[in-house]
Each structure stands twice: as structure tokens, then as C-alpha cells.
């Protein structure tokens, strides 16, 4: 049976995505030491499931639709920049969620419970922290410069994005970077008793 790299995500408003691309350029979009997330691939990940069987995708979509429908639509505000594990030795550069983190965490917990019951997901060791990945450092050179650059842009504001649906996504790894496609959509605030996406 074929397997699909699968994750659950929230899409972004076009204006927010444009500002994220602009801040990547400002931070050094041409920097050879960073693998930047391509604009069309920018999204907010709720859960990463990894490789799942093609037949399991239908059940995943059904669970996500049922669980997402229990939550009302909301907005998230993208603001502030940072790094994991920290700004002194950054590995991942991210944009933060200034408003909307609470409903995102509640949505994550709801979806996680349903997917754990389904048996296709293993709980992560660390607590879920909503963020938007901008890029990943590919080596340790100039890490001190990143702390200064992030500090200089700590008041950066990316705008507001509505959250009215959850996406079940497939990730196909290619030589020129990952290609994402939507396998299912789950509207928020629409309770369903059954059926598929």
C-alpha cells in the first residue's frame, strides 16, 4: 500500500504570506546558510503525522472534519520573530502568533485526541507552540548575526489571518523542495455526524 507524508495545517491570508516573504528578504533571503520556506508552502502546522497509508487518509479526513467542526472560526495575528531552540544558537527561524494562540492550541488538542484514538499519530514530547517556520539554518556559521537580526525585528508585524478551515495536506519531497497538496478540507463551526470531506 502506498504511503503519504501527511500533516494537518491552517492556511494563511495572502497579505500575511506576502509580509512573511518580505521579512525573509529583509533577514537575508539570499543567505546561503538558510533554507527558506517557499512562499506558496507557508502555512501553520497543527500536527505532523508522517507517513500514513493511503487508505488511512479517508479516516483521518473524517476525524479532522468531525473534530474541527466543534470549533468556531477565529482570527490569528502574526507578529514577532524568533528562533528554536533559542536566538543564540538558532536552527529554525520563525514568526510568532501574537493573538489566536489559545484557539490554535485548543484545536490542536482536539485534533490530537481524535488522531490518537484512530491510532495514526504519536503524541510529541514537547508542548505545541503555534508558529510559522520561515527557514532552517543549514550550518552554524554566523549564528551570532541571527540573534541581532531577530532582535532588530522583534516588533515586526505580519497582519491578521482568518482561520475558518483545517487542511489535511500531503507533502511530496522533491529535489527542488517539498510540494504540498490538499487532500481534505474541514470547515470550522460546522458540526457533522459523519461522512467524508
Amino acid at each position: 500500500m502506498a504511503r503519504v507524508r501527511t500533516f494537518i495545517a491552517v492556511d494563511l491570508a495572502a497579505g500575511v504570506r506576502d509580509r512573511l516573504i518580505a521579512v525573509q528578504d529583509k533577514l537575508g533571503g539570499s543567505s546561503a546558510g538558510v533554507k527558506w520556506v517557499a512562499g506558496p508552502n507557508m502555512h501553520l502546522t497543527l500536527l505532523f503525522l508522517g507517513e500514513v497509508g493511503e487508505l488511512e487518509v479517508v479516516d483521518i479526513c473524517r476525524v479532522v472534519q468531525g473534530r474541527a467542526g466543534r470549533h468556531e472560526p477565529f482570527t490569528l495575528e502574526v507578529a514577532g520573530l524568533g528562533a528554536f531552540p533559542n536566538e543564540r544558537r538558532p536552527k529554525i527561524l520563525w514568526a510568532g502568533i501574537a493573538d489566536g494562540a489559545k484557539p490554535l492550541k485548543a484545536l490542536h488538542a482536539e485534533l490530537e485526541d481524535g488522531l490518537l484514538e484512530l491510532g495514526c499519530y504519536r503524541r510529541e514530547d514537547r508542548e505545541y507552540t503555534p508558529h510559522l517556520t520561515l527557514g532552517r539554518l543549514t550550518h552554524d556559521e554566523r549564528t551570532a548575526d541571527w540573534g541581532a537580526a531577530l532582535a532588530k525585528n522583534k516588533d515586526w508585524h505580519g497582519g491578521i489571518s482568518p482561520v475558518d478551515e483545517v487542511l489535511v495536506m500531503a507533502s511530496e519531497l522533491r529535489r527542488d523542495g517539498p510540494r504540498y497538496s490538499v487532500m481534505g478540507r474541514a470547515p470550522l463551526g460546522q458540526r457533522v455526524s459523519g461522512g467524508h470531506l
Side-chain angles (χ1 to χ4, degrees):
M1 179 172 60
R3 300 185 69 75
V4 187
R5 273 173 63 89
T6 305
F7 63 95
I8 316 294
V10 166
D11 205 1
L12 301 170
V16 170
R17 187 177 281 112
D18 290 344
R19 289 186 196 100
L20 289 164
I21 294 167
V23 84
Q24 284 177 325
D25 290 340
K26 188 176 178 185
L27 289 171
S30 60
S31 171
V34 182
K35 189 171 176 122
W36 297 103
V37 175
N41 285 351
M42 287 183 177
H43 62 274
L44 193 147
T45 301
L46 289 165
L47 297 136
F48 179 72
L49 305 184
E51 302 272 341
V52 301
E54 269 184 341
L55 296 177
E56 290 177 285
V57 171
V58 174
D59 291 332
I60 290 167
C61 288
R62 192 184 68 248
V63 167
V64 170
Q65 187 176 48
R67 297 281 176 148
R70 300 175 187 178
H71 294 256
E72 291 304 313
F74 59 96
T75 57
L76 60 85
E77 181 183 4
V78 179
L81 302 177
F84 293 136
N86 58 59
E87 292 175 11
R88 288 186 311 281
R89 299 217 28 101
K91 297 282 184 212
I92 293 173
L93 306 175
W94 51 257
I97 305 301
D99 191 33
K102 192 172 177 182
L104 280 169
K105 286 182 177 184
L107 189 54
H108 168 271
E110 180 90 53
L111 295 171
E112 183 178 63
D113 285 349
L115 293 168
L116 284 167
E117 283 175 22
L118 194 59
C120 65
Y121 177 76
R122 202 169 337 127
R123 196 185 300 275
E124 299 230 4
D125 294 335
R126 58 186 184 274
E127 185 185 346
Y128 175 66
T129 305
H131 67 281
L132 295 157
T133 300
L134 294 171
R136 293 173 174 81
L137 272 68
T138 53
H139 53 68
D140 287 338
E141 285 180 32
R142 297 175 53 240
T143 53
D145 295 353
W146 286 110
L150 294 170
K152 199 187 301 178
N153 291 282
K154 71 175 189 294
D155 295 327
W156 173 82
H157 191 264
I160 291 172
S161 188
V163 179
D164 53 17
E165 69 175 355
V166 173
L167 305 176
V168 179
M169 305 286 292
S171 170
E172 184 187 350
L173 299 180
R174 295 176 168 228
R175 195 175 294 167
D176 58 346
R179 180 169 295 176
Y180 301 149
S181 56
V182 177
M183 297 189 291
R185 296 177 182 273
L188 297 188
Q190 294 185 13
R191 294 178 185 274
V192 288
S193 55
H196 304 308
L197 287 177

